[in-house]
């Protein structure tokens, strides 16, 4: 594994709230055994307070909302588009392989958007980019909802957002005047747009998979597991923004909407 990939894996591990809390718990246990009990109690008390705060406070909303609000959905869609590019990470390949049926994750709205846009733009190219997305079950699903599976194109090699952009550009060779819609999760859109601008491909953002909406509220009934998962997913996007900026894979640290 390359040093950059190894560092990315380590950072991704550390920004997951559950992993951080586990480390604090381990330290508290260590202090309880090696130092006076008071130190151990302080660590464990602090961890309990942190867990309680995360379980009831809208921390997940505070972290994810700026990402999801950065690129709003188009108020008016273009009259014509040349293509629709969907970022992968949708198909659960092992499950789909074993069950012989389409299995998707929380990014399934990307497929719903693709189907709707395919009907709206019958002449547009339809491309899904990402390793493992070119699954027969996905093509079968497309045909099952009454769309021509022959329209689907796949870029099957990309493992991350940077490769999604670079490999798709290499495959499709879009002209400077072409209009392409980019479909991905709203919280991932800032990172994706920064990468596409960096390589000189001015796509139109079409965000989906929203996880926030309405006023942020404190929960009456705690949901620690759900909150930790949502916080971890949002933190991963923030770390991705910083990493791509540092690696010069994005045109700016915090991309914002602008005219093509």
């Amino acid at each position: 594994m390359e040093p950059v990939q190894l560092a990315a894996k380590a950072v991704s591990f550390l920004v997951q709230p559950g992993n951080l809390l586990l480390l604090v718990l381990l330290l508290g246990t260590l202090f309880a055994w090696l130092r006076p009990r008071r130190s151990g109690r302080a660590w464990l008390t602090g961890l309990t307070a942190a867990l309680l705060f995360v379980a009831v406070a809208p921390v997940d909303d505070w972290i994810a909302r700026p990402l999801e609000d950065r690129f709003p959905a188009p108020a008016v869609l273009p009259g014509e588009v040349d293509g629709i590019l969907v970022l992968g990470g949708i198909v659960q390949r092992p499950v789909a392989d074993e069950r012989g049926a389409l299995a998707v994750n929380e990014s399934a709205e990307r497929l719903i958007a693709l189907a709707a846009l395919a009907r709206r733009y019958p002449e547009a190219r339809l491309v899904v980019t990402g390793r493992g997305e070119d699954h027969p079950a996905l093509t079968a699903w497309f045909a099952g909802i009454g769309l021509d599976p022959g329209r689907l194109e796949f870029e099957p090699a990309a493992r991350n957002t940077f490769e999604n952009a670079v490999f798709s550009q290499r495959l499709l060779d879009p002209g400077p005047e072409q209009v392409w819609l980019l479909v991905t999760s709203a919280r991932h859109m800032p990172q994706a747009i920064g990468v596409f601008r960096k390589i000189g491909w001015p796509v139109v953002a079409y965000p989906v998979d929203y996880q926030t909406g309405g006023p942020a509220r404190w929960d009456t009934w705690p949901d620690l597991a759900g909150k930790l998962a949502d916080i971890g997913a949002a933190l991963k996007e923030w770390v991705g923004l910083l990493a791509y900026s540092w690696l010069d894979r994005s045109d700016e640290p915090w991309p914002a909407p602008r005219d093509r």
Side-chain angles (χ1 to χ4, degrees):
M1 184 177 293
E2 297 178 1
V4 172
Q5 292 179 317
L6 185 61
K9 290 286 186 183
V11 172
S12 179
F13 174 84
L14 290 174
V15 299
Q16 295 301 311
N19 294 335
L20 288 175
L21 292 172
L22 178 60
L23 289 175
V24 174
L25 179 61
L26 290 173
L27 286 173
T29 303
L30 183 64
F31 281 138
W33 282 94
L34 299 181
R35 300 187 64 180
R37 293 182 180 177
R38 187 173 181 180
S39 297
R41 287 199 301 268
W43 275 89
L44 296 176
T45 300
L47 175 61
T48 301
L51 288 171
L52 180 60
F53 181 77
V54 168
V56 298
V59 179
D60 50 341
D61 195 282
W62 296 337
I63 297 174
R65 190 73 186 238
L67 292 165
E68 294 196 345
D69 288 349
R70 191 63 169 173
F71 285 88
V76 179
L77 285 171
E80 295 183 2
V81 302
D82 296 280
I84 300 153
L85 181 63
V86 180
L87 298 195
I90 307 166
V91 178
Q92 298 189 68
R93 189 88 192 207
V95 179
D97 287 342
E98 180 176 341
R99 303 297 180 181
L102 182 61
V104 296
N105 55 28
E106 65 277 1
S107 299
E109 286 182 31
R110 301 182 198 183
L111 292 184
I112 298 173
L114 175 62
L117 292 170
R119 295 184 187 278
R120 184 183 182 99
Y121 300 107
E123 302 301 321
R125 298 179 70 176
L126 310 177
V127 185
V128 182
T129 168
R131 178 174 292 183
E133 302 302 295
D134 55 333
H135 197 281
L138 177 54
T139 305
W141 173 82
F142 207 69
I145 61 173
L147 293 168
D148 178 11
R151 293 181 64 191
L152 281 178
E153 301 177 60
F154 295 95
E155 183 291 299
R159 299 165 297 177
N160 54 52
T161 307
F162 182 74
E163 291 183 354
N164 285 143
V166 172
F167 294 171
S168 296
Q169 186 183 51
R170 189 180 302 162
L171 172 69
L172 303 170
D173 191 25
E177 300 303 318
Q178 288 189 353
V179 178
W180 281 79
L181 299 181
L182 178 65
V183 180
T184 191
S185 300
R187 66 188 176 197
H188 186 61
M189 191 63 76
Q191 181 185 150
I193 290 294
V195 174
F196 277 81
R197 287 176 179 170
K198 181 68 177 181
I199 66 172
W201 189 355
V203 293
V204 178
Y206 192 92
V208 295
D209 298 326
Y210 285 95
Q211 301 298 313
T212 63
R217 299 182 182 277
W218 291 65
D219 291 335
T220 304
W221 298 100
D223 178 17
L224 182 60
K227 287 292 188 68
L228 291 179
D230 291 341
I231 291 171
L235 286 176
K236 183 179 179 181
E237 297 298 338
W238 284 108
V239 170
L241 277 170
L242 293 174
Y244 272 23
S245 178
W246 179 64
L247 294 170
D248 198 29
R249 290 183 171 182
S250 179
D251 72 330
E252 55 184 316
W254 184 225
R258 65 188 185 205
D259 295 333
R260 297 178 78 249

